[in-house]
Amino acid sequence: MPKSKTKRAAAKRFSVTGTGKLKRSKAYKSHILTKKTTKRKRNLRKPAITDATNVKNMKKVLPYA
């Protein structure tokens, strides 16, 4: 059985916390920022935990995470 390869695109976007949860960054922070409120942009900076419905698939593409 060959080694499983990590999907590099996923590895760049997700990181594992100390408790084993997947941490991700939020979307909608790259352009068209003038119409977004300061509060909204500030909240987009904070990392988010990946939803439980997606964790199973993410563990597949990140076998060593």
Side-chain angles (χ1 to χ4, degrees):
M1 187 85 180
K3 289 183 184 178
S4 302
K5 282 192 174 180
T6 298
K7 296 286 180 277
R8 298 312 297 163
K12 291 168 188 173
R13 289 167 173 82
F14 295 88
S15 60
V16 182
T17 63
T19 55
K21 294 177 182 173
L22 287 171
K23 189 170 67 173
R24 64 173 178 86
S25 56
K26 293 180 182 173
Y28 308 109
K29 184 66 174 69
S30 57
H31 61 97
I32 315 173
L33 297 173
T34 50
K35 62 174 78 169
K36 293 169 189 158
T37 63
T38 310
K39 181 182 178 181
R40 184 172 160 194
K41 289 186 280 191
R42 187 169 59 243
N43 285 328
L44 287 171
R45 277 186 226 143
K46 299 171 186 172
I49 300 297
T50 305
D51 194 66
T53 55
N54 298 321
V55 169
K56 187 180 174 186
N57 288 331
M58 294 317 302
K59 293 284 184 185
K60 257 182 218 172
V61 296
L62 297 168
Y64 302 105

